Amino acid sequence: MVTIACAASGPSLASTDCLTLHRANIPIIAVNSSWHAVPYCSAIYAADCCWWEEHYSAITSSAARWCGDQFTARRFGINCFPSTLPGSYNSGQRAIELAIHLGASRILLLGYDCSIRHGIHWHGNHKLLANPDKFSVARWHDEFSRLKAIAGSTEIINCSRYTRLTCFPRQSLEAVLSL
């Protein structure tokens, strides 16, 4: 079984959880600015060209870098993984798709809060990019549900400490790692 974790930007993301995954030798895909919480991640996925414009030169991690379109990939010399799903998207959703593409049979989610009830991001507001609001949160729920429909036999477990995302089963990270 190949397990890959995805660490998103929800306020529940805890660096201790990320370190637990690292110590268990589970590769981690950091979503957007979450690479700061997971500098030892194996990949960074950000779909938005604007995010790469703002952050590319400051990334000190040696992780593979992925985006969702050819223009951004060429501009920054990074890997492109376009979604197979039509319609709207978010980087957390696309990071899960990337994990499936990379061969994961089990994906563990951290920081996938899908809510702004406890704050916007663990790292505070984006300075130059749009920040989540109640409309984007509602859209995310639909986007993750569409992803679940095409995930096939890939097991996706939401280990976020707090989440409003209900389309994936929930389990504590400790319980998942004791299996």
Side-chain angles (χ1 to χ4, degrees):
M1 174 185 302
V2 176
T3 300
I4 297 177
C6 294
S9 300
S12 74
L13 182 67
S15 58
T16 54
D17 292 341
C18 297
L19 189 56
T20 297
L21 289 169
H22 180 63
R23 288 181 176 149
N25 293 317
I26 295 173
I28 303 169
I29 299 172
V31 179
N32 296 334
S33 297
S34 290
W35 75 268
H36 287 286
V38 196
Y40 40 78
C41 61
S42 57
I44 300 169
Y45 186 92
D48 303 307
C49 185
C50 293
W51 186 89
W52 287 106
E53 286 175 2
E54 184 177 344
H55 298 281
Y56 180 81
S57 63
I59 297 173
T60 56
S61 172
S62 61
R65 298 164 193 199
W66 293 84
C67 68
D69 67 88
Q70 290 293 334
F71 172 80
T72 303
R74 282 190 305 274
R75 182 167 180 192
F76 295 100
I78 60 179
N79 300 299
C80 179
F81 179 71
S83 176
T84 57
L85 288 172
S88 64
Y89 62 88
N90 65 75
S91 290
Q93 170 200 25
R94 297 273 172 101
I96 296 169
E97 282 186 87
L98 176 61
I100 293 168
H101 172 76
L102 295 175
S105 53
R106 181 171 74 160
I107 302 170
L108 309 179
L109 308 179
L110 296 175
Y112 280 76
D113 298 16
C114 276
S115 169
I116 55 175
R117 181 175 285 177
H118 298 290
I120 302 293
H121 300 110
W122 67 266
H123 54 74
N125 288 347
H126 289 299
K127 292 178 181 127
L128 303 176
L129 303 172
N131 287 290
D133 58 23
K134 65 181 182 179
F135 302 107
S136 54
V137 169
R139 189 186 77 240
W140 294 340
H141 286 271
D142 177 60
E143 291 164 351
F144 286 114
S145 292
R146 284 189 291 122
L147 173 62
K148 181 181 176 161
I150 62 105
S153 62
T154 304
E155 181 182 22
I156 302 171
I157 305 169
N158 192 345
C159 300
S160 302
R161 289 175 177 248
Y162 171 82
T163 187
R164 304 279 300 210
L165 184 60
T166 59
C167 66
F168 304 117
R170 285 204 62 204
Q171 201 168 11
S172 72
L173 184 60
E174 294 77 17
V176 169
L177 294 179
S178 69
L179 297 176

